[in-house]
Amino acid sequence: MILVLVTHDRGVIEETTFQALTLARGIADDLGWSLEAAWIGDEIAAESLAAHGVTAVHHVRHDGLDDYSPTAWGRALAQLVDAIGPEAVIAIGSDRGNEVMAHLGAITGAPMVANAREVTPEEPWAIVRTRWGGSLLESTELDAPIKILTVAEHAVESTPAQSPSSPDVVEFTPDLSESDLMTKVVDRVVATEGITLATAPVVVSGGRGVGSPDGFAALEELAGLLGGVVGCSRVVTNNGWRPHSDQVGQTGTVVAPDVYIACGISGAIQHWVGMMASKTIIAINTDAEASMVTKADYAVVGDLSEVVPDIVEELKSRRDGR
Ligand SMILES: Cc1cc2nc3c(=O)[nH]c(=O)nc-3n(C[C@H](O)[C@H](O)[C@H](O)COP(=O)(O)OP(=O)(O)OC[C@H]3O[C@@H](n4cnc5c(N)ncnc54)[C@H](O)[C@@H]3O)c2cc1C
């Protein structure tokens, strides 16, 4: 049996979890294993897993699991694994997925492979995985009685199963101590409303070339017209021009929108790995040799303080039928 940890935030599934389910289902089909899921916390949406061929959902409930707690999730998952004995445990390689699975590995003493892209499940399992924020691919082998791994976000396209299932929901109560719950979400501050950086279909991102916090007003306007959000590079967050929650890249958010517009961003590898999965990349930059310009699908070589307002004006005139 393969057990997939469903990563979610108070009942809202991380979209990329379905990518992990797709990879796990491929392995389960190859090996003739069943595909089951672990859901930790009260608010559950088991029906959304049916389309992915999950035959059972283990609903892990405990008073201390009303919100995210990495050690407690890891401990609870380890106890579930002990109880039901899966051959493999898989999660998506999101911040949350990697964190919980690292706890699971530490608690069970089993090796954990992070950010797998391809898995050949012949003993030992051959795995190609992403390292260094996506700039390096490593071929590795996983030789362990229980296979624990995460799937790199956006490395696998999420596809539903050929025939949907109607999963049984089975309750499981873990035994958690106070120390398991020492790290826990206790407060939340809403940074943005509506679409988020991680899910927006369009991201208009600004770098050092934007020049100042005020320079982002034009990018905000462009993003608004395109139904998108604003992102930025690390230079921008380091300068305090935008909050860290807007940062795209290795140490920020990994995005894969339909359109990514990079304004005044050079395309350093640490930024590139955070947006290279975008379907169409457009660069606006004064430097025709900038890495972002040479790698982009389309580029405008010019000063963004002129180019962005021109695009805004054109979009408005098309919208208004002028
Ligand atoms: C461990 C580590 C992790 C990191 N993580 C991240 C990360 O998550 N995200 C990230 O972004 N970076 C990250 N970085 C930093 C990264 O290496 C780069 O320093 C950063 O991405 C550069 O930001 P930038 O492109 O805005 O600035 P620059 O590299 O300075 O580029 C500015 C660009 O703007 C152009 N420009 C200037 N003026 C204009 C204008 N008027 N109009 C148009 N174009 C103009 C220039 O030609 C240039 O290409 C990380 C670095 C390290 C070491």
Side-chain angles (χ1 to χ4, degrees):
M1 178 231 298
I2 298 189
L3 182 68
V4 173
L5 171 69
V6 179
T7 50
H8 65 92
D9 188 50
R10 293 175 300 171
V12 179
I13 298 182
E14 288 186 318
E15 269 307 304
T16 48
T17 267
F18 296 112
Q19 298 166 9
L21 273 167
T22 302
L23 184 130
R25 195 177 61 244
I27 299 172
D29 288 350
D30 273 2
L31 299 177
W33 291 354
S34 63
L35 179 63
E36 304 192 2
W39 186 295
I40 299 175
D42 283 347
E43 291 159 278
I44 185 167
E47 64 287 352
S48 56
L49 305 173
H52 288 266
V54 170
T55 52
V57 181
H58 300 273
H59 189 193
V60 181
R61 303 184 74 179
H62 185 282
D63 286 349
L65 294 172
D66 55 335
D67 208 330
Y68 181 57
S69 168
T71 316
W73 276 46
R75 180 81 57 198
L77 188 59
Q79 290 174 9
L80 176 66
V81 164
D82 202 31
I84 64 173
E87 274 83 6
V89 188
I90 294 180
I92 192 63
S94 59
D95 288 348
R96 201 165 276 199
N98 277 331
E99 185 173 37
V100 176
M101 297 294 268
H103 277 288
L104 176 65
I107 293 165
T108 58
M112 176 269 201
V113 175
N115 299 319
R117 303 180 67 84
E118 293 165 27
V119 177
T120 310
E122 290 162 7
E123 287 300 335
W125 283 17
I127 296 177
V128 177
R129 73 183 189 114
T130 299
R131 295 196 59 190
W132 294 99
S135 57
L136 181 76
L137 293 181
E138 177 186 86
S139 296
T140 190
E141 287 182 348
L142 180 54
D143 186 5
I146 177 166
K147 313 287 192 281
I148 299 177
L149 61 96
T150 62
V151 180
E153 287 190 288
H154 307 296
V156 175
E157 197 178 334
S158 161
T159 48
Q162 276 180 341
S163 27
S165 54
S166 44
D168 297 327
V169 178
V170 188
E171 290 223 0
F172 179 80
T173 309
D175 181 14
L176 300 176
S177 67
E178 261 179 45
S179 65
D180 294 327
L181 291 158
M182 272 172 64
T183 314
K184 189 176 173 187
V185 176
V186 291
D187 193 16
R188 287 166 184 263
V189 178
V190 180
T192 49
E193 292 189 349
I195 48 174
T196 66
L197 185 58
T199 58
V202 177
V203 176
V204 180
S205 220
R208 193 196 303 271
V210 176
S212 68
D214 293 346
F216 277 86
L219 276 64
E220 290 278 6
E221 196 171 12
L222 179 56
L225 285 163
L226 295 172
V229 298
V230 167
C232 68
S233 72
R234 185 155 111 169
V235 165
V236 169
T237 51
N238 281 354
N239 286 352
W241 298 350
R242 305 284 298 186
H244 180 261
S245 53
D246 283 1
Q247 184 181 312
V248 172
Q250 181 183 331
T251 46
T253 302
V254 175
V255 299
D258 294 335
V259 181
Y260 189 84
I261 307 179
C263 308
I265 297 177
S266 59
I269 186 68
Q270 297 88 354
H271 187 86
W272 181 255
V273 295
M275 40 62 70
M276 63 186 180
S278 307
K279 294 194 182 61
T280 301
I281 297 169
I282 302 170
I284 302 173
N285 201 301
T286 44
D287 179 3
E289 302 301 321
S291 166
M292 185 64 82
V293 173
T294 57
K295 288 175 170 167
D297 298 295
Y298 302 95
V300 181
V301 177
D303 187 333
L304 69 92
S305 66
E306 294 165 12
V307 177
V308 175
D310 281 355
I311 301 173
V312 165
E313 197 43 48
E314 178 64 22
L315 287 171
K316 279 183 179 167
S317 87
R318 288 189 191 196
R319 181 194 61 189
D320 302 339
R322 280 186 261 146

